[in-house]
Amino acid sequence: MSSFEALAGDLRAALGESDLVTEPEELAYYGQDRCRGGWPVAPSAIAFPRDIGQVQALVRACAHHGVAIVPSGGRTGLAGAATATRGELVVSFDRFNRRCEVEAPAKLVHCDPGVTIARVHEAAAACGLRYPVDWAASGTAQVGGSIATNAGGIRVLRYGSTRAWVRDLELVLADGRHLRLAGNVLKDNTGYDLRQLFIASEGTLGLIVGASLGLVSPPADRLVVAGGVGGMPQMLALFERLRAGLSTLSAFECFDGGCVEHVVAHRGQGAQRPMAEDHAQYVVLEVEIERAGEGAKEAMTDQLMELLADAQEAGELDDAVLAASDQQARALWAWREDISESLHPHTPHKADVCVPVHRIAVFEAAWRDALASQLEGIEARCFGHVGDGNLHLNLLRPAAMSLEDFLARCHAFDDTLYRLVCAHEGSVSAEHGVGLLKRRALEIQREGGQLDAMRAIKAALDPGGLFNPGKIFT
Amino acid sequence: MSSFEALAGDLRAALGESDLVTEPEELAYYGQDRCRGGWPVAPSAIAFPRDIGQVQALVRACAHHGVAIVPSGGRTGLAGAATATRGELVVSFDRFNRRCEVEAPAKLVHCDPGVTIARVHEAAAACGLRYPVDWAASGTAQVGGSIATNAGGIRVLRYGSTRAWVRDLELVLADGRHLRLAGNVLKDNTGYDLRQLFIASEGTLGLIVGASLGLVSPPADRLVVAGGVGGMPQMLALFERLRAGLSTLSAFECFDGGCVEHVVAHRGQGAQRPMAEDHAQYVVLEVEIERAGEGAKEAMTDQLMELLADAQEAGELDDAVLAASDQQARALWAWREDISESLHPHTPHKADVCVPVHRIAVFEAAWRDALASQLEGIEARCFGHVGDGNLHLNLLRPAAMSLEDFLARCHAFDDTLYRLVCAHEGSVSAEHGVGLLKRRALEIQREGGQLDAMRAIKAALDPGGLFNPGKIFT
C-alpha cells in the first residue's frame, strides 16, 4: 500500500464522505492557481475540511504518512503558491466557510478561512461598516489566502495591505496544534508577534483556520478625478502635492497613454476617449469625504479643485475631469480597471514591482531605457499604484513573434529588471508574492543571510517540511 | 583563566581601549533599566561598540567563550529587559550614535542604534519633517531600544507604535552575521517579513545595529481641548463621536479626578485646578490641522466645537476648555503629563494594560469592583490612552502600610487583574514589554502553544541562547 493510499483511508475517516476527491478533472482544477508557469499539476487528492478539528486531523494524518500539503484558497494567486507539483494533498478551504460574523461595536468581522473577500465586504456593508482592503480578484479570493499572501490592491495608499487589518489569527501548526493568536488590541507588547510571521508566508509555516479582520466606518462620499499628465516626473509631483494636502486621498493610480489605446480598442467601435486630447500619462485618483452633508462635500471639492489648479499652474497636470455622479466616477475608474483585460489578447508577460515612491519616475525612465536597448520591437505598458510605488509592467507579444521566442526574450529581460528594481531599493514582488514563479527573483533581492534566516524559521515551525514545500525558497 | 577573562582579552582587541569597562559603579549603572524588581544586578562588564564591525566581533567572541549578552539602549524600560542578572556582558549602544541623517525626499531618517529619539525628533524638525512616535522617555530612549521594545506613547491613536515606522532594519545575529532587512517600500511580498520578528523581541533574537525610520510632514497646527466627563462610559461615547468625525484626532487621553488631586498637591500652594468644577473623569485631546492658514484652522475649530456641543447635549461631556494659545495647550497637556511624577511619592505599583477600545468602560468598572473587594483601603488611580484602549493602573501605598505588606497585597492582586484583562481579550503589557517583570503575566495571557512557538523561533535564530537569556520566557 503506497503512502497515499494509507493516508486516504485516514482522511476518509476524518472528513465527510464527499470531502476527499481524486477525479482527474478535480485534481487539474484544484491543483493550481492562476499562474501558468509550466510546472506539472500533480496533486494526489483534494481535501475539503469544514472545521478546525478536521484540519487538525488531516495535518496529523499527512505528517504521519509523509505526504505534504498545499493549502488552497480562491486560487487567484499569480505566483504559483497554490500549485501542487509532486503528489501533495491539496487542502481546499472552499467548504470551511460558515462563519462571517460582524461584531459591530468592536469593528471586527470574524471569519472562517474559506469566506470570500466579497462576502466580507457585503457583511461589513450590511452593518454600516467597511473592510478597506479591495482588489480585482476579491470576488473569488478567500480570507485565509488573502492573509497568507498579504493581499494589497487599490486603497493601500490610505489603508495599507491585508497585514494592517488582521486582528485575531487562528492557525493549525505542523504538529496538529491549534493556536489562537489574539490581536484585537492596539497595543500588545507580549513577546514575538507571531501573526506577522504567518502573514505573507504563502502557506509554508501553518494553515490559517480563522481570522478576525478590522473594519472601518465607510466614508460618507468620494470625489473621483481623472487627469492627463505630461510624464512620470509630473505625475510624482502631482501625487506629492495632493498627498500633502489631502489626508483622505485613498487612491492615486496611473496608466500610460498606450494603455488607453488598448482599452479603446478592446471596447470596440464607438468607444469614447477619456479626455478631449491625448496625454502621455493618465491618473485616476479618489478622495474620501468622511462627514456626511453637502457642506463637507463642497469644502472637500473646493480644496481639491484648488490643489488641482495649483498643480495645473505648476505644469504637473494638463487636464482634469471631476466625476459629477457615481456613474461618472465608475466610468473614470473603468479606464484603470479595464487595462488588464484589454492587454490579455497580447499574452502579456507581467512584472509586479515596487520602488520607494519618490523614485518612481526615475525608475520608470530607467526601465524604458533598458527596454529600448534590450527589447526593441516589444511593446511595453506600465500602469499601477503611484501612491504605493507599485508598478505593473507588461510586455506584449508582437503578433508575428512565437510565444516561445517572446517568453525567452522576456525571461532574459527579467534579470535586468529585477537588478534594476534592487538598485532602486525596491521589491521584485510587491503584491503577488514569490510562490514558485519568483524564487529566482527572490535570490536577486534578498541576500543569503536573509534566506538562511527564513529557512531556519521554516525548519523550526515545520521541521518535516509538511507545508507547501518548494514555495518561496528551494 | 575564567571564560570571562579570556573573553575580555578578545573584547579589548576588538574595541577601543576605553570601550570595555568593569568598574563596580559602571556595572551597577549600566547593568539595569528603570525597573526595580529585586533581581541581582550583576553584569561582568560593559562593552561600548561604535560600529557594526565591533558588534560583530564582540558577538563572535561572546559566542566563542559562552558568555551571554544583554543589549542596552537608553535603559528607560520598565520591565527589566535590559537588566543583567548573571554575569552577562552588557552591550551598550551609547557610543554607537554617529549617524542620524534625514533623507528628506524619501521621508526617512537613517540612524545608528544609539541615537536618542529626541535627536531623531530634532533632525526631522530641522528638515521640516516629523517622527510621529513620542513618549515621556524619548529624551533618553534610543532608536535600537525603541524598536526592540516597540515603543508606543501618546500619538499611537493616529500614527501607531514604533512598529509602524521601522523601514530598513539592520541586525547582527548570533553567528555574527550582519543582515540588512530592507523595508523602504510600501508593498513587498518577498518571503517572511523578518523585521516584524525582531521588533518587540526585547533583544532576545539579535542586536539592532541600524534602522531607517519613516517620517511625516508635520501638521500646520493643532487644537488642544481639556474636558470634564461624568464617567468612563461617557468618555468612551465622546471618543467614538470624535473619532468618527475627525480623521486627524491624534490624542485622546483620560485621567480620573483623583489624578488631578495628586497633580494639584504635587504642584503645591496656589496651584490652579483644570476647570471651574470638579469631574469624575478628565480628558485631554488633540486634533491636528494639516493645512496651513487661518481658513483651515477656523474650519477645524468650527467642526470640533460642533462635535463637542453635540457631545454636551448627549451628556457625554460636562465642560470643556479649548486652548487659545500654544502656551495654554501645553498647560492643558501638563495635567496629563504630570500625573506619573505626582504619584511617585506614593511608591505606586503599576500595571500597563490594554483592552479593545469599545470595552474600556466595562473593563474599568470591573477593575474598580475587583479593587473594592480585594484591596480595600488602597487608593487606585487610572489614567491612559483611551483611543488605544491602553490604561495605566496605579495602586498607591497608604502612608501607614509597610512597603513589604503593600507589595504582597499588590502582587496578589496582579493575578486577578491579569485574568480580568484576558477575560476582556486584552494585553497584560500594552507598551512596556515582558522583560523579567511580566513573565508570569505572559503565561496567563499566552497559551502554551504560543510560548512553544516563540521558544522554537528563539532556538532557531539563537541556538546557543546568547542574547538576553531569561527575558520574555524562562
Side-chain angles (χ1 to χ4, degrees), chain B residues 69-409:
Chain B
I69 287 173
V70 172
S72 172
R75 290 169 294 105
T76 59
L78 296 169
T83 299
T85 63
R86 34 175 144 163
E88 302 96 329
L89 177 73
V90 169
V91 176
S92 167
F93 291 91
D94 273 15
R95 301 178 191 172
F96 188 171
N97 61 357
R98 223 169 316 166
R99 189 175 191 213
C100 178
E101 194 182 324
V102 174
E103 185 188 352
K107 293 196 174 172
L108 289 175
V109 56
H110 305 287
C111 299
D112 280 344
V115 165
T116 64
I117 300 301
R119 204 169 133 210
V120 170
H121 286 151
E122 284 158 25
C127 297
L129 292 167
R130 177 163 75 149
Y131 180 57
V133 189
D134 198 8
W135 66 101
S138 62
T140 314
Q142 297 175 2
V143 168
S146 77
I147 295 170
T149 59
N150 186 28
I154 55 168
R155 288 197 198 87
V156 171
L157 171 57
R158 181 164 190 210
Y159 295 102
S161 298
T162 299
R163 187 184 294 277
W165 299 96
V166 177
R167 301 292 179 258
D168 288 349
L169 186 63
E170 292 189 76
L171 300 157
V172 169
L173 300 187
D175 60 5
R177 280 215 269 191
H178 170 223
L179 287 195
R180 183 174 173 276
L181 303 173
N184 288 341
V185 290
L186 288 169
K187 289 174 170 173
D188 186 12
N189 283 342
T190 51
Y192 313 151
D193 189 350
L194 296 171
R195 300 173 307 145
Q196 304 297 340
L197 206 49
F198 290 89
I199 299 166
S201 69
E202 303 187 28
T204 60
L205 296 177
L207 301 183
I208 294 169
V209 293
S212 303
L213 302 171
L215 303 174
V216 296
S217 296
D221 207 340
R222 62 174 180 168
L223 300 175
V224 175
V225 168
V229 177
M232 285 302 275
Q234 294 90 327
M235 181 76 77
L236 179 59
L238 175 65
F239 168 71
E240 287 181 342
R241 178 186 296 273
L242 296 186
R243 177 67 185 258
L246 298 164
S247 64
T248 61
L249 183 68
S250 54
F252 193 102
E253 304 279 308
C254 72
F255 42 98
D256 63 30
C259 292
V260 170
E261 298 310 318
H262 284 284
V263 173
V264 170
H266 183 71
R267 290 180 181 174
Q269 220 179 335
Q272 304 288 307
R273 308 187 69 81
M275 343 207 108
E277 288 176 37
D278 289 342
H279 302 273
Q281 296 283 343
Y282 294 82
V283 59
V284 169
L285 64 94
E286 186 174 283
V287 183
E288 294 182 345
I289 303 167
E290 297 197 317
R291 300 178 71 207
E294 275 308 301
K297 185 166 185 176
E298 267 172 40
M300 186 62 89
T301 308
D302 289 351
Q303 193 181 338
L304 176 59
M305 288 297 111
E306 195 184 310
L307 285 164
L308 293 177
D310 291 349
Q312 219 158 347
E313 188 137 333
E316 295 156 11
L317 178 67
D318 295 333
D319 194 8
V321 183
L322 170 67
S325 67
D326 201 52
Q327 192 189 347
Q328 279 185 25
R330 283 199 302 271
L332 293 184
W333 260 114
W335 286 104
R336 166 68 180 83
E337 289 166 347
D338 291 354
I339 295 168
S340 275
E341 203 184 322
S342 305
L343 300 183
H344 190 69
H346 305 279
T347 53
H349 178 76
K350 292 166 180 289
D352 164 46
V353 304
C354 198
V355 294
V357 177
H358 71 286
R359 293 191 183 205
I360 203 166
V362 171
F363 169 77
E364 196 255 4
W367 172 65
R368 299 242 180 235
D369 284 350
L371 286 167
S373 69
Q374 279 183 251
L375 281 187
E376 213 194 331
I378 289 185
E379 182 181 349
R381 300 275 61 105
C382 171
F383 60 95
H385 320 277
V386 173
D388 313 328
N390 179 195
L391 295 177
H392 298 298
L393 307 174
N394 284 252
L395 303 176
L396 308 187
R397 184 167 63 90
M401 193 181 287
S402 76
L403 184 61
E404 199 182 351
D405 280 2
F406 172 66
L407 287 179
R409 293 194 67 188

Side-chain angles (χ1 to χ4, degrees), chain A residues 149 177 180 187-190 192 204 247 290-291 303 388 390 427 429 431 446-447 450 452, chain B residues 149-150 177 180 187-190 192 204 247 290-291 303 388 390 427 429 431 446-447 450 452:
Chain A
T149 59
R177 280 215 268 191
R180 182 174 174 277
K187 289 175 171 173
D188 186 11
N189 282 343
T190 51
Y192 313 151
T204 60
S247 64
E290 296 196 316
R291 298 178 72 208
Q303 193 180 337
D388 313 328
N390 179 195
S427 168
S429 191
E431 302 186 311
R446 300 262 180 206
E447 55 186 341
Q450 295 185 43
D452 288 347
Chain B
T149 59
N150 186 28
R177 280 215 269 191
R180 183 174 173 276
K187 289 174 170 173
D188 186 12
N189 283 342
T190 51
Y192 313 151
T204 60
S247 64
E290 297 197 317
R291 300 178 71 207
Q303 193 181 338
D388 313 328
N390 179 195
S427 167
S429 191
E431 303 186 310
R446 299 265 180 203
E447 55 185 340
Q450 295 184 43
D452 288 347

Side-chain angles (χ1 to χ4, degrees), chain A residues 14-73:
Chain A
L15 301 172
E17 185 58 40
S18 61
D19 291 342
L20 184 76
V21 305
T22 53
E23 286 72 24
E25 59 274 27
E26 302 281 3
L27 298 184
Y29 182 73
Y30 283 100
Q32 61 185 329
D33 55 28
R34 287 195 190 162
C35 183
R36 297 288 175 269
W39 310 288
V41 177
S44 290
I46 319 295
F48 296 92
R50 293 169 185 264
D51 60 35
I52 291 172
Q54 289 186 349
V55 174
Q56 290 181 284
L58 69 81
V59 165
R60 290 191 174 116
C62 285
H64 180 71
H65 294 286
V67 172
I69 286 173
V70 172
S72 172

Side-chain angles (χ1 to χ4, degrees), chain B residues 421-451:
Chain B
V421 168
C422 294
H424 286 82
E425 300 192 348
S427 167
V428 298
S429 191
E431 303 186 310
H432 297 173
V434 179
L436 292 168
L437 185 70
K438 292 207 176 165
R439 293 180 295 180
R440 160 98 184 114
L442 186 73
E443 286 173 12
I444 295 175
Q445 182 178 331
R446 299 265 180 203
E447 55 185 340
Q450 295 184 43
L451 294 172

Side-chain angles (χ1 to χ4, degrees), chain A residues 423-459:
Chain A
H424 287 82
E425 302 193 347
S427 168
V428 299
S429 191
E431 302 186 311
H432 297 171
V434 179
L436 293 168
L437 186 69
K438 293 207 176 165
R439 292 177 298 180
R440 158 102 185 113
L442 186 73
E443 286 173 12
I444 295 175
Q445 181 179 332
R446 300 262 180 206
E447 55 186 341
Q450 295 185 43
L451 294 173
D452 288 347
M454 289 187 204
R455 286 191 192 100
I457 289 164
K458 166 76 175 174

